[in-house]
Amino acid sequence: MASITLKNLVKKYGDGFPAVNDVSLDIADGEFIILVGPSGCGKSTLLRMIVGLEDITSGDLLINGERVNDKAPRDRNLAMVFQNYALYPHLTVFENIAFPLRLNKGKYSDDQVRKLVHEAADTLELTEHLDRKPGNLSGGQRQRVAMGRAIVRQADAFLFDEPLSNLDAKLRGQMRSEISQMQRRLGVTSVYVTHDQTEAMTLGDRVAVLKKGILQQVASPRELYEQP
Ligand code: ADP
Ligand code: ADP
């Protein structure tokens, strides 16, 4: 698990107005923080800077107190959980969860892979579905497989980029509670990007509000709700 510290982070694309403008934020170990704001305010850019997919123009990014600006994504041990699940339809749930371990050829024996996948499946209540293919699963189960991939690597933090934005309202509601329960059960540091007010107000411990690249406010959902 990890704390994540953003210190005066700036991202400029070309000569334009910064997409992320002097953002400072302390994310505590185990915290579930929501990044909210209108389309184009810099949410994805900030998330991609944290995970290492986007260069940092200036400022510092610390994970557990260590500066990681120049570390490759694979050396940051953070796991992105994607919107479309990015599951392999031709692979079983077991192989989908095992996938990140198989990429690391030689590092894990078959026994270790089996053990880690079974532990993740147990946590996510997917054990009885391990032999199925993603096409035969519900939306909620598929989301859990996607999270299984993050868990199996024992990532320090989960980063969610609008994971529910393409779902219909009913499924979105169901998945909201699944994600919230799972995050609390695992207690893993999570940064969750959304432009959906309901998700922002119900999911996280704190909400960070971005506007035109600038961090406007960081508060608990309750504090935000009680504002005039
Ligand atoms: P959000 O995720 O909140 O919708 P983004 O982080 O995608 O916002 O975008 C923030 C700003 O940066 C927008 O003005 C967007 O057009 C710009 N932007 C994002 N990615 C790029 C890029 N690769 N090149 C140039 N401008 C970009
Ligand atoms: P979102 O609003 O979900 O961030 P966008 O449609 O803004 O999605 O961006 C989709 C992709 O296009 C992202 O990878 C982003 O970095 C890139 N992008 C966004 N704006 C620009 C831009 N002005 N120039 C180049 N790439 C951009």
Side-chain angles (χ1 to χ4, degrees):
M1 287 212 282
S3 66
I4 302 173
T5 306
L6 321 183
K7 277 191 185 166
N8 307 104
L9 281 191
V10 174
K11 176 67 188 183
K12 280 190 184 175
Y13 294 108
D15 302 330
F17 196 77
V20 169
N21 198 348
D22 200 24
V23 168
S24 295
L25 181 64
D26 279 315
I27 303 168
D29 198 346
E31 185 175 20
F32 193 166
I33 193 154
I34 309 289
L35 214 51
V36 73
S39 184
C41 72
K43 304 182 296 296
S44 298
T45 299
L46 194 52
L47 202 69
R48 291 155 56 89
M49 286 161 89
I50 294 173
V51 82
L53 296 173
E54 203 78 75
D55 285 340
I56 294 170
T57 305
S58 67
D60 290 314
L61 174 67
L62 313 179
I63 297 178
N64 285 330
E66 185 197 353
R67 187 175 183 274
V68 298
N69 289 44
D70 304 318
K71 272 198 175 181
R74 64 159 69 177
D75 297 326
R76 297 188 188 189
N77 201 30
L78 309 174
M80 281 284 254
V81 182
F82 289 102
Q83 168 175 293
N84 55 4
Y85 317 121
L87 303 180
Y88 296 100
H90 60 290
L91 297 180
T92 61
V93 169
F94 182 100
E95 284 304 331
N96 267 285
I97 295 176
F99 195 78
L101 304 179
R102 306 268 194 225
L103 278 181
N104 235 317
K105 269 205 168 46
K107 190 171 170 201
Y108 300 95
S109 69
D110 283 349
D111 277 350
Q112 282 172 315
V113 170
R114 216 170 298 129
K115 180 167 175 286
L116 288 168
V117 171
H118 278 278
E119 279 171 9
D122 188 42
T123 306
L124 296 162
E125 295 173 7
L126 284 170
T127 304
E128 62 192 283
H129 306 299
L130 282 173
D131 293 331
R132 297 170 71 185
K133 303 255 172 84
N136 302 322
L137 300 176
S138 71
Q141 290 165 338
R142 283 206 286 266
Q143 181 73 52
R144 277 186 267 148
V145 177
M147 291 176 78
R149 272 200 190 149
I151 292 172
V152 82
R153 287 173 43 195
Q154 297 162 302
D156 285 329
F158 292 171
L159 306 173
F160 296 89
D161 194 0
E162 308 221 16
L164 310 185
S165 63
N166 284 344
L167 306 177
D168 66 43
K170 183 164 168 245
L171 189 54
R172 217 160 44 223
Q174 179 196 328
M175 306 281 287
R176 248 197 333 260
S177 56
E178 290 226 10
I179 287 179
S180 159
Q181 281 169 24
M182 204 55 61
Q183 198 278 343
R184 274 166 229 295
R185 185 168 340 154
L186 298 170
V188 65
T189 313
S190 300
V191 185
Y192 186 107
V193 162
T194 185
H195 61 265
D196 183 290
Q197 294 292 333
T198 311
E199 287 173 31
M201 297 306 268
T202 56
L203 278 176
D205 301 317
R206 284 194 302 162
V207 182
V209 184
L210 262 186
K211 198 173 166 189
K212 294 185 178 164
I214 295 170
L215 192 59
Q216 303 282 314
Q217 188 172 33
V218 187
S220 69
R222 188 183 186 88
E223 286 163 339
L224 284 179
Y225 184 74
E226 284 171 355
Q227 263 174 25

